């Protein structure tokens, strides 16, 4: 949900038209059920509602209490819309509770929104001083400051290396442990300065704290674990001919999405030497439809969109061997 920096913590939705177009909300499908797994400030949700028919329905998810407040206002104005204050990883259970077995389209816009980044009090940004929190859902879990106060150096190093793809993870983790022995690391500025002193070589145009802040945020919010669970739940609830569109903003997310979709688009084939008829071979469960990035115009207008990648896939109707004879 990475979006443009504009005054008053507003946002600009990435790949707005392209993502909603990918769901193919037209004809009979306009009266179907759709899911926006990451409501944010509602850019995609509002556009989906514009295209839904009178009988259509949209279920949105978000962990951020501020996003939920915006979504509740939308709920009061549109009876076709409902929001769930939870991660999209709970999609299967949440839909089951509402008596929904299958949906016609699912959109996941991953990452972090501009209102979250641009609010110093949330602790996501190393560019502004604020409390070192980093929780997307401030009503649950421990903050980044609480975790860094007690985590072992080896675990801090692993998190920064694995989730930040940071080659100076050892040096940074060692500096964090040394720093907290002098004074608690409770602000974003403290952490950014510790990282800056530990990282001797800087990537051109990138703050040395970028990868460390990304890594700790991903860990604190269990983003990759929730993505894995959410993708499985979304696939299980997607109806035949239903569409899934996923927008990711860093290589770890995109790699997971790519591998998940590819595994279902390429059915494992048995040994060719086995006497199996072609009609009885395993069939793919999904069809890959598109890989898309923001246009140069969108990137110029919204620099935070530059790393976005959207992948779109179609759930195929499965046929039994008997029905294919």
């Amino acid at each position: 949900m990475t979006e443009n920096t504009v005054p008053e913590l507003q946002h600009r939705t990435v790949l707005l038209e392209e993502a909603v177009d990918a769901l193919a909300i037209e004809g009979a499908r306009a009266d179907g059920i759709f899911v926006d797994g990451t409501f944010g400030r509602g850019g995609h949700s509002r556009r989906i509602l514009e295209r839904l028919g009178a009988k259509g329905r949209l279920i949105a998810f978000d962990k951020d209490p501020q996003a939920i407040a915006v979504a509740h206002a939308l709920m009061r104005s549109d009876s076709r819309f409902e929001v769930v204050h939870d991660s999209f990883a709970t999609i299967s259970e949440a839909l089951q509770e509402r008596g929904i077995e299958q949906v016609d389209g699912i959109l996941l816009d991953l990452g972090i929104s501009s209102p979250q980044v641009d609010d110093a009090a949330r602790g996501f940004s190393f560019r502004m001083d604020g409390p070192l929190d980093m929780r997307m859902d401030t009503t649950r879990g421990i903050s980044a400051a609480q975790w860094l106060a007690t985590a072992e150096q080896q675990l801090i190093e692993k998190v920064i290396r694995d989730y930040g793809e940071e080659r100076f993870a050892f040096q940074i983790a060692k500096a964090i442990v040394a720093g907290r022995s002098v004074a608690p690391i409770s602000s974003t500025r403290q952490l950014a300065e510790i990282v800056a002193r530990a990282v001797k070589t800087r990537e051109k145009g990138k703050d040395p704290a970028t990868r460390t802040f990304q890594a700790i945020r991903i860990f604190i919010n269990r983003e990759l674990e929730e993505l894995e669970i959410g993708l499985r739940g979304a696939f299980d609830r997607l109806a035949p001919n239903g569409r899934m569109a996923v927008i990711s903003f860093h290589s770890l997310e995109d790699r997971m999405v790519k591998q998940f979709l590819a595994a279902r688009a390429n059915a494992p084939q048995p040994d060719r030497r086995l006497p199996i008829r072609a009609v009885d071979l395993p069939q793919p469960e999904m069809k890959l439809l598109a890989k898309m990035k923001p246009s140069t115009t969108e990137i110029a207008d919204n620099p935070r969109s530059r790393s976005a990648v959207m992948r779109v896939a179609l759930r195929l109707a499965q046929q039994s061997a008997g029905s294919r004879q």
Side-chain angles (χ1 to χ4, degrees):
M1 294 178 290
T2 301
E3 301 157 12
N4 195 31
T5 305
V6 289
E8 298 164 358
L9 306 185
Q10 296 176 0
H11 72 284
R12 184 159 304 165
T13 306
V14 172
L15 291 167
L16 175 58
E17 301 299 337
E18 295 88 342
V20 179
D21 286 346
L23 298 179
I25 308 172
E26 55 192 9
R29 286 174 55 81
D31 284 326
I33 303 174
F34 292 83
V35 169
D36 181 353
T38 43
F39 178 80
R41 291 303 183 268
H44 286 125
S45 283
R46 289 187 178 88
R47 188 69 89 242
I48 291 171
L49 288 168
E50 288 175 4
R51 301 194 186 184
L52 282 182
K55 297 179 181 178
R57 190 172 177 187
L58 175 62
I59 313 294
F61 291 75
D62 210 292
K63 298 193 296 183
D64 190 327
Q66 295 177 4
I68 293 299
V70 175
H72 281 163
L74 183 57
M75 278 181 65
R76 290 190 291 270
S77 65
D78 196 324
S79 60
R80 300 171 301 168
F81 175 73
E82 181 181 1
V83 68
V84 179
H85 183 188
D86 214 332
S87 165
F88 64 83
T90 66
I91 182 171
S92 192
E93 298 88 342
L95 293 178
Q96 186 69 41
E97 289 173 1
R98 288 158 177 78
I100 301 172
E101 292 298 325
Q102 294 183 319
V103 299
D104 298 286
I106 297 172
L107 172 61
L108 301 179
D109 182 8
L110 308 175
I112 185 171
S113 70
S114 280
Q116 291 171 326
V117 175
D118 296 335
D119 183 354
R122 300 299 299 272
F124 289 109
S125 177
F126 48 80
R127 301 186 187 281
M128 301 176 288
D129 194 25
L132 190 59
D133 194 313
M134 293 197 190
R135 290 173 296 167
M136 291 184 180
D137 186 346
T138 53
T139 68
R140 310 173 193 177
I142 64 170
S143 69
Q146 290 171 317
W147 178 67
L148 286 176
T150 58
E152 294 183 359
Q153 179 177 323
Q154 187 175 7
L155 176 57
I156 297 173
E157 177 188 351
K158 177 176 173 58
V159 166
I160 295 173
R161 183 184 64 246
D162 292 354
Y163 294 157
E165 300 180 296
E166 171 61 75
R167 61 194 178 108
F168 296 106
F170 171 77
Q171 293 91 331
I172 294 169
K174 183 177 180 181
I176 288 172
V177 171
R180 76 186 184 192
S181 68
V182 177
I185 304 172
S186 58
S187 76
T188 54
R189 179 170 295 168
Q190 281 178 286
L191 179 58
E193 290 175 350
I194 289 172
V195 175
R197 289 194 295 269
V199 176
K200 303 303 181 184
T201 304
R202 305 186 184 199
E203 298 173 76
K204 186 177 180 180
K206 182 175 286 189
D207 190 286
T210 300
R211 294 178 180 273
T212 297
F213 270 66
Q214 171 187 297
I216 295 174
R217 187 204 82 213
I218 290 173
F219 176 78
I220 290 294
N221 294 288
R222 300 182 64 248
E223 291 178 37
L224 296 185
E225 293 95 328
E226 291 190 351
L227 177 56
E228 181 179 3
I229 296 168
L231 285 172
R232 290 200 304 266
F235 173 77
D236 289 342
R237 292 290 172 174
L238 196 60
N241 298 315
R243 292 180 171 220
M244 181 188 298
V246 186
I247 304 171
S248 56
F249 289 87
H250 60 75
S251 59
L252 296 176
E253 290 175 339
D254 184 53
R255 190 178 307 131
M256 288 182 64
V257 174
K258 178 182 178 180
Q259 292 174 349
F260 179 88
L261 297 178
R264 285 150 185 81
N266 302 299
Q269 299 299 308
D271 192 322
R272 294 181 179 180
R273 294 169 295 183
L274 296 176
I276 301 176
R277 297 178 303 168
V279 295
D280 293 328
L281 289 172
Q283 300 298 307
E285 298 174 298
M286 301 195 86
K287 178 182 179 181
L288 305 180
L289 298 181
K291 174 187 175 183
M292 190 177 302
K293 296 184 178 182
S295 67
T296 54
T297 301
E298 179 172 1
I299 293 172
D301 190 44
N302 179 8
R304 287 181 178 175
S305 71
R306 65 186 178 275
S307 60
V309 178
M310 180 172 72
R311 297 182 185 274
V312 185
L314 174 75
R315 176 75 187 260
L316 297 174
Q318 294 298 297
Q319 295 179 313
S320 66
S323 68
R324 295 194 300 269
Q325 294 177 354

Short mmCIF file of all heavy atoms in Angstrom, two decimals, residues 61-109:
data_model
loop_
_atom_site.label_atom_id
_atom_site.label_comp_id
_atom_site.label_asym_id
_atom_site.label_seq_id
_atom_site.Cartn_x
_atom_site.Cartn_y
_atom_site.Cartn_z
N PHE A 61 -10.20 -5.98 4.55
CA PHE A 61 -9.46 -6.32 5.76
C PHE A 61 -8.41 -5.24 6.01
O PHE A 61 -7.84 -4.68 5.08
CB PHE A 61 -8.73 -7.67 5.60
CG PHE A 61 -9.63 -8.86 5.52
CD1 PHE A 61 -10.35 -9.13 4.36
CD2 PHE A 61 -9.77 -9.73 6.60
CE1 PHE A 61 -11.18 -10.23 4.27
CE2 PHE A 61 -10.60 -10.84 6.52
CZ PHE A 61 -11.31 -11.09 5.35
N ASP A 62 -8.13 -4.97 7.27
CA ASP A 62 -6.98 -4.13 7.63
C ASP A 62 -6.70 -4.28 9.12
O ASP A 62 -7.63 -4.49 9.91
CB ASP A 62 -7.20 -2.66 7.29
CG ASP A 62 -5.89 -1.96 6.96
OD1 ASP A 62 -5.05 -1.80 7.87
OD2 ASP A 62 -5.67 -1.62 5.78
N LYS A 63 -5.43 -4.16 9.47
CA LYS A 63 -5.03 -4.27 10.88
C LYS A 63 -4.92 -2.90 11.57
O LYS A 63 -4.97 -2.82 12.79
CB LYS A 63 -3.67 -4.98 10.98
CG LYS A 63 -3.68 -6.40 10.46
CD LYS A 63 -2.43 -7.16 10.87
CE LYS A 63 -1.18 -6.58 10.26
NZ LYS A 63 0.03 -7.37 10.61
N ASP A 64 -4.75 -1.86 10.78
CA ASP A 64 -4.47 -0.53 11.31
C ASP A 64 -5.75 0.12 11.84
O ASP A 64 -6.71 0.32 11.09
CB ASP A 64 -3.87 0.33 10.19
CG ASP A 64 -3.33 1.65 10.71
OD1 ASP A 64 -3.90 2.20 11.66
OD2 ASP A 64 -2.33 2.13 10.14
N PRO A 65 -5.80 0.49 13.12
CA PRO A 65 -7.00 1.13 13.67
C PRO A 65 -7.40 2.40 12.94
O PRO A 65 -8.59 2.71 12.82
CB PRO A 65 -6.60 1.43 15.13
CG PRO A 65 -5.54 0.44 15.44
CD PRO A 65 -4.78 0.26 14.16
N GLN A 66 -6.43 3.17 12.45
CA GLN A 66 -6.76 4.39 11.71
C GLN A 66 -7.43 4.06 10.39
O GLN A 66 -8.37 4.74 9.96
CB GLN A 66 -5.49 5.21 11.49
CG GLN A 66 -4.89 5.75 12.79
CD GLN A 66 -3.60 6.51 12.56
OE1 GLN A 66 -3.18 6.72 11.43
NE2 GLN A 66 -2.96 6.93 13.65
N ALA A 67 -6.96 3.01 9.71
CA ALA A 67 -7.59 2.57 8.47
C ALA A 67 -9.00 2.06 8.74
O ALA A 67 -9.93 2.31 7.96
CB ALA A 67 -6.75 1.48 7.81
N ILE A 68 -9.17 1.37 9.86
CA ILE A 68 -10.49 0.83 10.21
C ILE A 68 -11.48 1.96 10.46
O ILE A 68 -12.66 1.87 10.09
CB ILE A 68 -10.38 -0.08 11.45
CG1 ILE A 68 -9.58 -1.35 11.11
CG2 ILE A 68 -11.76 -0.44 11.99
CD1 ILE A 68 -10.21 -2.20 10.02
N ALA A 69 -11.02 3.06 11.05
CA ALA A 69 -11.91 4.21 11.28
C ALA A 69 -12.42 4.77 9.96
O ALA A 69 -13.61 5.11 9.82
CB ALA A 69 -11.18 5.28 12.07
N VAL A 70 -11.53 4.84 8.96
CA VAL A 70 -11.93 5.31 7.63
C VAL A 70 -12.92 4.32 7.01
O VAL A 70 -13.92 4.72 6.40
CB VAL A 70 -10.70 5.49 6.72
CG1 VAL A 70 -11.12 5.86 5.30
CG2 VAL A 70 -9.76 6.55 7.29
N ALA A 71 -12.63 3.04 7.16
CA ALA A 71 -13.49 2.01 6.57
C ALA A 71 -14.88 2.00 7.21
O ALA A 71 -15.88 1.77 6.53
CB ALA A 71 -12.84 0.64 6.73
N HIS A 72 -14.95 2.25 8.51
CA HIS A 72 -16.26 2.28 9.18
C HIS A 72 -17.14 3.40 8.62
O HIS A 72 -18.36 3.25 8.50
CB HIS A 72 -16.08 2.43 10.69
CG HIS A 72 -15.72 1.15 11.37
ND1 HIS A 72 -15.18 1.10 12.63
CD2 HIS A 72 -15.81 -0.14 10.96
CE1 HIS A 72 -14.96 -0.16 12.97
NE2 HIS A 72 -15.34 -0.93 11.96
N ALA A 73 -16.51 4.53 8.29
CA ALA A 73 -17.27 5.63 7.68
C ALA A 73 -17.82 5.21 6.33
O ALA A 73 -18.96 5.54 5.98
CB ALA A 73 -16.37 6.86 7.54
N LEU A 74 -17.02 4.45 5.58
CA LEU A 74 -17.48 3.96 4.28
C LEU A 74 -18.60 2.94 4.44
O LEU A 74 -19.56 2.91 3.65
CB LEU A 74 -16.30 3.34 3.51
CG LEU A 74 -16.58 2.82 2.10
CD1 LEU A 74 -17.16 3.92 1.21
CD2 LEU A 74 -15.30 2.26 1.48
N MET A 75 -18.50 2.12 5.47
CA MET A 75 -19.56 1.14 5.75
C MET A 75 -20.90 1.82 5.98
O MET A 75 -21.94 1.33 5.54
CB MET A 75 -19.20 0.30 6.99
CG MET A 75 -18.26 -0.86 6.75
SD MET A 75 -17.94 -1.79 8.27
CE MET A 75 -19.56 -2.45 8.63
N ARG A 76 -20.86 2.96 6.70
CA ARG A 76 -22.10 3.66 7.01
C ARG A 76 -22.76 4.26 5.76
O ARG A 76 -23.98 4.49 5.75
CB ARG A 76 -21.83 4.76 8.05
CG ARG A 76 -21.49 4.21 9.43
CD ARG A 76 -21.47 5.31 10.48
NE ARG A 76 -20.36 6.22 10.31
CZ ARG A 76 -19.17 6.05 10.88
NH1 ARG A 76 -18.94 4.98 11.63
NH2 ARG A 76 -18.20 6.94 10.70
N SER A 77 -21.96 4.47 4.72
CA SER A 77 -22.51 5.10 3.52
C SER A 77 -22.81 4.10 2.40
O SER A 77 -23.45 4.46 1.42
CB SER A 77 -21.53 6.15 2.99
OG SER A 77 -20.32 5.55 2.55
N ASP A 78 -22.36 2.84 2.55
CA ASP A 78 -22.56 1.86 1.48
C ASP A 78 -22.80 0.49 2.10
O ASP A 78 -21.88 -0.12 2.66
CB ASP A 78 -21.35 1.81 0.54
CG ASP A 78 -21.66 1.12 -0.78
OD1 ASP A 78 -22.44 0.15 -0.77
OD2 ASP A 78 -21.11 1.54 -1.81
N SER A 79 -24.02 -0.01 2.00
CA SER A 79 -24.39 -1.27 2.63
C SER A 79 -23.75 -2.48 1.94
O SER A 79 -23.76 -3.59 2.49
CB SER A 79 -25.92 -1.44 2.61
OG SER A 79 -26.41 -1.44 1.27
N ARG A 80 -23.15 -2.29 0.77
CA ARG A 80 -22.50 -3.41 0.08
C ARG A 80 -21.11 -3.69 0.64
O ARG A 80 -20.49 -4.68 0.28
CB ARG A 80 -22.39 -3.10 -1.42
CG ARG A 80 -23.71 -2.86 -2.14
CD ARG A 80 -23.45 -2.33 -3.55
NE ARG A 80 -22.69 -1.08 -3.50
CZ ARG A 80 -22.11 -0.50 -4.56
NH1 ARG A 80 -22.23 -1.08 -5.76
NH2 ARG A 80 -21.45 0.63 -4.44
N PHE A 81 -20.65 -2.81 1.52
CA PHE A 81 -19.27 -2.87 2.00
C PHE A 81 -19.21 -3.28 3.47
O PHE A 81 -20.03 -2.86 4.28
CB PHE A 81 -18.61 -1.50 1.83
CG PHE A 81 -17.23 -1.40 2.39
CD1 PHE A 81 -16.16 -2.03 1.77
CD2 PHE A 81 -16.99 -0.69 3.56
CE1 PHE A 81 -14.88 -1.95 2.29
CE2 PHE A 81 -15.71 -0.59 4.08
CZ PHE A 81 -14.66 -1.22 3.44
N GLU A 82 -18.21 -4.09 3.79
CA GLU A 82 -17.97 -4.48 5.18
C GLU A 82 -16.46 -4.59 5.39
O GLU A 82 -15.73 -5.03 4.51
CB GLU A 82 -18.63 -5.83 5.49
CG GLU A 82 -18.42 -6.28 6.93
CD GLU A 82 -19.07 -7.64 7.22
OE1 GLU A 82 -19.67 -8.22 6.30
OE2 GLU A 82 -18.97 -8.10 8.38
N VAL A 83 -15.98 -4.19 6.57
CA VAL A 83 -14.56 -4.28 6.87
C VAL A 83 -14.33 -5.19 8.06
O VAL A 83 -15.16 -5.24 8.99
CB VAL A 83 -13.94 -2.90 7.14
CG1 VAL A 83 -14.48 -2.28 8.43
CG2 VAL A 83 -12.42 -2.96 7.16
N VAL A 84 -13.22 -5.91 8.04
CA VAL A 84 -12.81 -6.79 9.12
C VAL A 84 -11.51 -6.24 9.71
O VAL A 84 -10.54 -6.03 8.99
CB VAL A 84 -12.56 -8.23 8.60
CG1 VAL A 84 -12.11 -9.14 9.75
CG2 VAL A 84 -13.81 -8.78 7.93
N HIS A 85 -11.53 -5.97 11.03
CA HIS A 85 -10.32 -5.45 11.68
C HIS A 85 -9.40 -6.63 12.00
O HIS A 85 -9.35 -7.12 13.13
CB HIS A 85 -10.69 -4.69 12.97
CG HIS A 85 -9.50 -4.07 13.63
ND1 HIS A 85 -9.56 -3.47 14.87
CD2 HIS A 85 -8.20 -3.94 13.23
CE1 HIS A 85 -8.37 -3.02 15.21
NE2 HIS A 85 -7.53 -3.31 14.23
N ASP A 86 -8.68 -7.05 10.98
CA ASP A 86 -7.74 -8.16 11.15
C ASP A 86 -6.91 -8.28 9.88
O ASP A 86 -7.19 -7.63 8.87
CB ASP A 86 -8.48 -9.48 11.41
CG ASP A 86 -7.70 -10.39 12.34
OD1 ASP A 86 -6.45 -10.30 12.36
OD2 ASP A 86 -8.33 -11.19 13.06
N SER A 87 -5.90 -9.10 9.95
CA SER A 87 -5.05 -9.35 8.79
C SER A 87 -5.81 -10.17 7.74
O SER A 87 -6.68 -10.98 8.06
CB SER A 87 -3.81 -10.13 9.22
OG SER A 87 -3.15 -10.70 8.12
N PHE A 88 -5.44 -9.98 6.47
CA PHE A 88 -6.03 -10.80 5.42
C PHE A 88 -5.63 -12.27 5.54
O PHE A 88 -6.18 -13.13 4.86
CB PHE A 88 -5.67 -10.27 4.03
CG PHE A 88 -4.19 -10.32 3.72
CD1 PHE A 88 -3.59 -11.48 3.25
CD2 PHE A 88 -3.39 -9.20 3.87
CE1 PHE A 88 -2.24 -11.54 2.97
CE2 PHE A 88 -2.04 -9.24 3.59
CZ PHE A 88 -1.45 -10.41 3.13
N ALA A 89 -4.70 -12.56 6.45
CA ALA A 89 -4.36 -13.95 6.72
C ALA A 89 -5.54 -14.71 7.31
O ALA A 89 -5.59 -15.94 7.25
CB ALA A 89 -3.16 -14.03 7.67
N THR A 90 -6.52 -13.98 7.85
CA THR A 90 -7.71 -14.60 8.43
C THR A 90 -8.85 -14.70 7.42
O THR A 90 -9.99 -14.95 7.81
CB THR A 90 -8.20 -13.80 9.65
OG1 THR A 90 -8.67 -12.51 9.22
CG2 THR A 90 -7.09 -13.63 10.67
N ILE A 91 -8.57 -14.52 6.14
CA ILE A 91 -9.62 -14.45 5.12
C ILE A 91 -10.53 -15.67 5.12
O ILE A 91 -11.75 -15.54 5.04
CB ILE A 91 -9.01 -14.24 3.71
CG1 ILE A 91 -10.11 -14.12 2.65
CG2 ILE A 91 -8.02 -15.33 3.35
CD1 ILE A 91 -9.57 -13.70 1.28
N SER A 92 -9.95 -16.85 5.24
CA SER A 92 -10.77 -18.06 5.17
C SER A 92 -11.76 -18.12 6.33
O SER A 92 -12.96 -18.37 6.15
CB SER A 92 -9.87 -19.31 5.17
OG SER A 92 -10.62 -20.46 4.84
N GLU A 93 -11.27 -17.87 7.55
CA GLU A 93 -12.14 -17.91 8.72
C GLU A 93 -13.18 -16.80 8.69
O GLU A 93 -14.35 -17.02 9.02
CB GLU A 93 -11.30 -17.80 10.00
CG GLU A 93 -10.30 -18.93 10.21
CD GLU A 93 -8.96 -18.67 9.56
OE1 GLU A 93 -8.88 -17.79 8.67
OE2 GLU A 93 -7.99 -19.34 9.95
N ALA A 94 -12.76 -15.61 8.28
CA ALA A 94 -13.68 -14.47 8.26
C ALA A 94 -14.81 -14.68 7.26
O ALA A 94 -15.97 -14.37 7.53
CB ALA A 94 -12.92 -13.19 7.93
N LEU A 95 -14.48 -15.22 6.10
CA LEU A 95 -15.52 -15.48 5.10
C LEU A 95 -16.45 -16.59 5.56
O LEU A 95 -17.66 -16.55 5.36
CB LEU A 95 -14.89 -15.83 3.75
CG LEU A 95 -14.12 -14.69 3.07
CD1 LEU A 95 -13.50 -15.17 1.76
CD2 LEU A 95 -15.03 -13.49 2.80
N GLN A 96 -15.87 -17.60 6.21
CA GLN A 96 -16.69 -18.71 6.72
C GLN A 96 -17.69 -18.19 7.75
O GLN A 96 -18.86 -18.59 7.75
CB GLN A 96 -15.79 -19.77 7.36
CG GLN A 96 -16.51 -21.04 7.79
CD GLN A 96 -17.01 -21.84 6.60
OE1 GLN A 96 -16.32 -21.98 5.60
NE2 GLN A 96 -18.22 -22.38 6.70
N GLU A 97 -17.25 -17.28 8.63
CA GLU A 97 -18.14 -16.72 9.64
C GLU A 97 -19.30 -15.97 9.01
O GLU A 97 -20.38 -15.87 9.60
CB GLU A 97 -17.35 -15.77 10.54
CG GLU A 97 -16.37 -16.46 11.47
CD GLU A 97 -15.49 -15.47 12.22
OE1 GLU A 97 -15.69 -14.23 12.02
OE2 GLU A 97 -14.62 -15.91 12.99
N ARG A 98 -19.09 -15.46 7.80
CA ARG A 98 -20.13 -14.70 7.11
C ARG A 98 -20.92 -15.55 6.12
O ARG A 98 -21.71 -15.03 5.33
CB ARG A 98 -19.49 -13.50 6.40
CG ARG A 98 -19.05 -12.43 7.40
CD ARG A 98 -17.96 -11.53 6.85
NE ARG A 98 -17.64 -10.48 7.85
CZ ARG A 98 -16.86 -10.71 8.91
NH1 ARG A 98 -16.34 -11.92 9.12
NH2 ARG A 98 -16.63 -9.73 9.77
N GLY A 99 -20.69 -16.84 6.16
CA GLY A 99 -21.42 -17.76 5.30
C GLY A 99 -21.02 -17.67 3.84
O GLY A 99 -21.79 -18.04 2.95
N ILE A 100 -19.80 -17.18 3.58
CA ILE A 100 -19.31 -17.03 2.21
C ILE A 100 -18.32 -18.15 1.90
O ILE A 100 -17.26 -18.24 2.52
CB ILE A 100 -18.63 -15.66 2.02
CG1 ILE A 100 -19.61 -14.53 2.32
CG2 ILE A 100 -18.07 -15.53 0.60
CD1 ILE A 100 -18.95 -13.15 2.35
N GLU A 101 -18.67 -18.99 0.96
CA GLU A 101 -17.80 -20.11 0.59
C GLU A 101 -16.76 -19.70 -0.44
O GLU A 101 -15.59 -20.09 -0.36
CB GLU A 101 -18.64 -21.28 0.04
CG GLU A 101 -19.53 -21.94 1.08
CD GLU A 101 -18.73 -22.56 2.21
OE1 GLU A 101 -17.62 -23.08 1.96
OE2 GLU A 101 -19.21 -22.51 3.37
N GLN A 102 -17.18 -18.91 -1.43
CA GLN A 102 -16.28 -18.52 -2.50
C GLN A 102 -16.50 -17.06 -2.89
O GLN A 102 -17.59 -16.52 -2.72
CB GLN A 102 -16.50 -19.40 -3.74
CG GLN A 102 -16.12 -20.86 -3.52
CD GLN A 102 -16.29 -21.69 -4.78
OE1 GLN A 102 -17.26 -21.53 -5.52
NE2 GLN A 102 -15.34 -22.56 -5.06
N VAL A 103 -15.44 -16.44 -3.41
CA VAL A 103 -15.53 -15.05 -3.87
C VAL A 103 -15.05 -14.97 -5.32
O VAL A 103 -14.35 -15.86 -5.82
CB VAL A 103 -14.70 -14.10 -2.98
CG1 VAL A 103 -15.21 -14.14 -1.56
CG2 VAL A 103 -13.22 -14.46 -3.02
N ASP A 104 -15.41 -13.88 -5.98
CA ASP A 104 -15.13 -13.75 -7.41
C ASP A 104 -13.82 -13.04 -7.72
O ASP A 104 -13.32 -13.11 -8.84
CB ASP A 104 -16.28 -13.00 -8.08
CG ASP A 104 -17.59 -13.76 -7.94
OD1 ASP A 104 -17.76 -14.77 -8.64
OD2 ASP A 104 -18.43 -13.36 -7.11
N GLY A 105 -13.28 -12.35 -6.74
CA GLY A 105 -12.01 -11.66 -6.97
C GLY A 105 -11.39 -11.22 -5.68
O GLY A 105 -12.10 -10.87 -4.72
N ILE A 106 -10.06 -11.22 -5.63
CA ILE A 106 -9.32 -10.83 -4.42
C ILE A 106 -8.16 -9.94 -4.82
O ILE A 106 -7.38 -10.27 -5.72
CB ILE A 106 -8.79 -12.08 -3.68
CG1 ILE A 106 -9.95 -12.96 -3.21
CG2 ILE A 106 -7.91 -11.67 -2.50
CD1 ILE A 106 -9.51 -14.31 -2.64
N LEU A 107 -8.05 -8.80 -4.14
CA LEU A 107 -6.95 -7.88 -4.36
C LEU A 107 -6.15 -7.74 -3.08
O LEU A 107 -6.71 -7.48 -2.02
CB LEU A 107 -7.50 -6.50 -4.78
CG LEU A 107 -6.49 -5.35 -4.86
CD1 LEU A 107 -5.41 -5.64 -5.89
CD2 LEU A 107 -7.20 -4.04 -5.17
N LEU A 108 -4.84 -7.91 -3.19
CA LEU A 108 -3.93 -7.71 -2.06
C LEU A 108 -2.91 -6.66 -2.46
O LEU A 108 -2.15 -6.85 -3.42
CB LEU A 108 -3.21 -9.02 -1.70
CG LEU A 108 -4.06 -10.22 -1.33
CD1 LEU A 108 -3.17 -11.43 -1.04
CD2 LEU A 108 -4.93 -9.91 -0.12
N ASP A 109 -2.91 -5.55 -1.74
CA ASP A 109 -1.97 -4.45 -1.98
C ASP A 109 -1.06 -4.41 -0.76
O ASP A 109 -1.41 -3.83 0.27
CB ASP A 109 -2.76 -3.16 -2.16
CG ASP A 109 -1.86 -1.96 -2.46
OD1 ASP A 109 -0.65 -2.16 -2.66
OD2 ASP A 109 -2.37 -0.84 -2.48
#
